[in-house]
Amino acid sequence: MRLREAAVAGYGETEYHKHNQQEPLEYIASAIEKALDDADLTHEDVDGLAISSHELHSENEITLGNHLGISGRWFLGGVGGNSGSVVGLLRGATAIATGQADVVVVAAGDASTPTSNMELIDEFNADLYNYMRPYGFGGANGLFALLQRRHMHEFETTREQLGEIALTQREHAQRNPLAIFNDEQLTMEEYLTARPIVKPLHLFDCVLPCGGGGAIVLTSREHARTLDSDPVYLRGGDEYHNPNPLTPFSMRTAFQNHEIFDEKLTPEDIDAVQLYDNYPIWVAMQLEDLGFCKKGDVGKYLVDTDLSINGDLPLNTGGGQLSMGQANAGGGILHSIEAIRQLRGEGGDRQVPDCETVLTTGFGMVSYGEGLSSASVIFSNEVPQGGDAR
Amino acid sequence: MTDRPRPDIDAINRPYWESAGDGTLRLQRCPSCEHVPFPPRIRCPACFDELEWYEAPGTGTVYTYGEVFRPSQPDIFDDVPFLLTVIELDDGQRIVANLFDYATADIAIGDPVRVTFQGVDDDVALPQFELVAE
């Protein structure tokens, strides 16, 4: 991948609504409008479009582009569920490097509710429909409860350790006016004793499906430098799909396959992480598989590591999906937007000090025993030197 | 629990569901590499050979479990909480099932179980599991 020839020219994000106020298409269009305004570009400048959404029904990336007056040679429908927008960034950057497009918009959003999300997952693919739905598995909550219980068994991980993720992110959301849980505090006692959903998952382990959207504008490095905003660069990234075709319910995620670190860039160089957080256990397993700690050690790592804004490894600095709300496919782009915001120094009272390099992930396509798709990007506000890590 | 959601029976999984309806657990095995996939697959995901069906022993252990308080279809699964488990069969396949007649406090990963069948309609039954007294 030739990610380093592209740069972020702008971003846009809607408010997240617990009670949906718009159709998915409206949320996505609002986010695209904000992102183009931020980039000081218009829809006529755009010639590439990647869209991730579960609820557009008969609309898709082509017809949505038609609505918005976006024409060109490069269009991409969400690949890999909620990793789709991060995949869109990787492939959109590659499209710019290879001359397929000059300006690419990557956008995602939905208007989901807890019930609509359950219905979506019940019928998400044949394996869920045939081999989990008849058993009343409870949607993604049931799948990740099974994974968390196994992790707790194999590695003695505790709910209290995983609660560090939920609590830290809730504190971060207090500084994010777009977050649904912006004015609701959470204590460890409340986290541990909240009503059970699928044990060992309780209420504050689960994202709130909601409405909203996000968009990011990519262009060439050279073009980005002529625009108003400070460019943010793609220093690296990877995507990997179908990590464990032979062993469902493995404790091994697709992030183990990501080739994003080398001798020039290690986890110690990362100033903040914005990780796909449908559940704390999934953040924990990403920290293991991306190399921030050893497999099985994450429980202790979560207690020993300060994950707050001014801490050792600031985590999901806007509150993440767990405290902002997850506009379904929009959950995949929220983290990239927060990474870009931090790297432009626009974090306000949640700004990470000296923030130069941020790792972000997307994840999706839940199926029998695991999620099949994953993607990552490492953003930097320093011009990356040399080729990609891989 | 009342009527269960019916799976879609197709060319890949027909032997699985039809044998379950007859009270036997038939699963796939690869004649070349001996891999035993689950869920049913159209080719061996390990070596791409054609798979064959065999009658599986139907015994295994609890690999992981959850207790469902909020099912996806609350009108069908109204008797909450109930147990959702993954059973690791003796041959290695991992099958999602409910455990009947359980006491949540007593279940543990590694508990031995054996297959049983729960009718959905005239044609289809779900493989389920029950604890084996040690």
Side-chain angles (χ1 to χ4, degrees):
Chain A
M1 286 184 285
R2 291 158 64 186
L3 305 176
R4 295 182 171 195
E5 290 169 44
V8 175
Y11 66 90
E13 188 172 32
T14 70
E15 281 186 350
Y16 294 93
H17 296 141
K18 182 174 179 177
H19 302 289
N20 298 315
Q21 298 175 11
Q22 297 178 7
E23 297 291 317
L25 191 146
E26 293 178 278
Y27 279 123
I28 293 170
S30 300
I32 291 175
E33 185 177 23
K34 287 172 195 282
L36 288 172
D37 283 351
D38 180 54
D40 198 24
L41 294 168
T42 76
H43 70 118
E44 292 178 337
D45 298 311
V46 179
D47 60 354
L49 182 64
I51 298 289
S52 294
S53 176
H54 298 290
E55 298 171 344
L56 285 175
H57 304 295
S58 53
E59 303 283 356
N60 57 46
E61 67 281 3
I62 307 289
T63 62
L64 191 67
N66 198 321
H67 276 283
L68 300 174
I70 292 172
S71 310
R73 297 186 171 79
W74 188 87
F75 285 75
L76 182 71
V79 174
N82 295 353
S83 69
S85 46
V86 182
V87 170
L89 291 170
L90 297 170
R91 298 190 190 180
T94 305
I96 288 166
T98 56
Q100 290 173 280
D102 293 323
V103 176
V104 166
V105 169
V106 177
D110 270 308
S112 57
T113 66
T115 302
S116 77
N117 190 54
M118 290 274 192
E119 289 169 356
L120 175 79
I121 299 299
D122 255 5
E123 304 188 2
F124 207 47
N125 48 57
D127 281 351
L128 289 181
Y129 189 88
N130 289 330
Y131 309 106
M132 291 188 76
R133 178 174 172 272
Y135 299 94
F137 76 111
N141 298 331
L143 173 62
F144 284 87
L146 293 169
L147 293 169
Q148 177 169 323
R149 176 79 70 189
R150 184 69 198 183
H151 199 280
M152 292 168 75
H153 172 79
E154 275 191 37
F155 306 118
E156 298 179 355
T157 314
T158 67
R159 288 197 61 225
E160 200 153 12
Q161 291 168 339
L162 295 168
E164 294 289 336
I165 292 169
L167 264 61
T168 302
Q169 292 187 196
R170 184 57 65 90
E171 283 171 23
H172 295 169
Q174 308 309 304
R175 308 179 193 191
N176 181 0
L178 296 179
I180 286 179
F181 295 101
N182 172 248
D183 56 0
E184 289 181 44
Q185 309 277 336
L186 181 65
T187 66
M188 184 59 85
E189 175 73 11
E190 288 166 337
Y191 169 82
L192 291 172
T193 60
R195 72 181 160 89
I197 305 298
V198 181
K199 281 184 179 178
L201 299 183
H202 293 242
L203 185 63
F204 300 115
D205 291 305
C206 305
V207 286
L208 178 63
C210 71
I216 293 168
V217 182
L218 295 177
T219 187
S220 68
R221 269 193 208 187
E222 294 68 29
H223 186 198
R225 285 190 197 120
T226 69
L227 302 172
D228 287 349
S229 324
D230 293 336
V232 169
Y233 304 97
L234 285 75
R235 177 161 178 178
D238 205 356
E239 62 182 285
Y240 202 88
H241 310 277
N242 295 330
N244 306 300
L246 307 185
T247 52
F249 295 100
S250 159
M251 292 292 99
R252 181 180 181 286
T253 80
F255 292 101
Q256 276 198 0
N257 300 82
H258 283 225
E259 297 176 4
I260 53 174
F261 293 120
D262 58 15
E263 64 281 358
K264 291 187 200 134
L265 185 74
T266 72
E268 283 78 50
D269 298 317
I270 300 295
D271 299 316
V273 286
Q274 316 288 349
L275 303 179
Y276 190 90
D277 61 318
N278 48 353
Y279 302 91
I281 184 62
W282 204 245
V283 174
M285 287 171 70
Q286 285 177 71
L287 287 167
E288 291 176 338
D289 288 353
L290 288 163
F292 288 87
C293 63
K294 272 199 266 182
K295 191 70 181 171
D297 285 354
V298 73
K300 185 170 183 302
Y301 177 86
L302 291 172
V303 174
D304 293 347
T305 307
D306 183 351
L307 303 171
S308 70
I309 305 282
N310 295 300
D312 310 315
L313 186 73
L315 166 71
N316 292 349
T317 48
Q321 294 149 250
L322 285 167
S323 278
M324 292 172 72
Q326 182 180 336
N328 220 332
I333 201 166
L334 154 169
H335 297 288
S336 296
I337 290 173
E338 179 66 12
I340 294 160
R341 187 184 278 118
Q342 290 286 345
L343 289 165
R344 284 182 16 178
E346 296 168 1
D349 59 2
R350 65 177 194 271
Q351 179 63 44
V352 173
D354 305 321
C355 188
E356 293 179 355
T357 308
V358 180
L359 169 64
T360 182
T361 60
F363 163 80
M365 200 51 71
V366 291
S367 187
Y368 187 85
E370 64 179 334
L372 304 181
S373 284
S374 66
S376 61
V377 171
I378 296 172
F379 290 107
S380 173
N381 51 18
E382 301 280 307
V383 179
Q385 304 299 317
D388 290 357
R390 57 190 294 276
Chain B
M1 289 172 209
T2 53
D3 296 343
R4 294 284 176 136
R6 197 177 192 279
D8 271 343
I9 298 180
D10 58 28
I12 303 169
N13 65 28
R14 187 175 304 281
Y16 176 72
W17 290 115
E18 286 187 347
S19 61
D22 295 336
T24 56
L25 183 67
R26 293 182 74 213
L27 298 172
Q28 292 172 305
R29 179 169 54 199
C30 177
S32 301
C33 74
E34 300 185 350
H35 179 63
V36 283
F38 189 86
R41 289 289 178 252
I42 195 163
R43 289 283 185 285
C44 174
C47 74
F48 223 67
D49 200 357
E50 302 262 354
L51 293 159
E52 62 185 21
W53 292 90
Y54 77 108
E55 185 169 340
T59 50
T61 56
V62 174
Y63 174 79
T64 183
Y65 63 95
E67 197 180 359
V68 181
F69 288 74
R70 171 65 170 93
S72 18
Q73 298 175 72
D75 50 332
I76 295 177
F77 297 91
D78 53 359
D79 191 14
V80 294
F82 60 89
L83 206 55
L84 179 73
T85 66
V86 177
I87 303 304
E88 187 164 75
L89 293 174
D90 293 343
D91 288 345
Q93 304 95 331
R94 292 174 184 168
I95 295 190
V96 170
N98 306 115
L99 259 194
F100 292 133
D101 303 324
Y102 73 96
T104 311
D106 294 340
I107 188 174
I109 287 172
D111 280 350
V113 296
R114 69 172 163 243
V115 74
T116 178
F117 296 91
Q118 178 189 23
V120 174
D121 55 33
D122 289 346
D123 305 324
V124 174
L126 300 178
Q128 293 282 22
F129 288 84
E130 57 189 10
L131 290 170
V132 176
E134 284 181 281

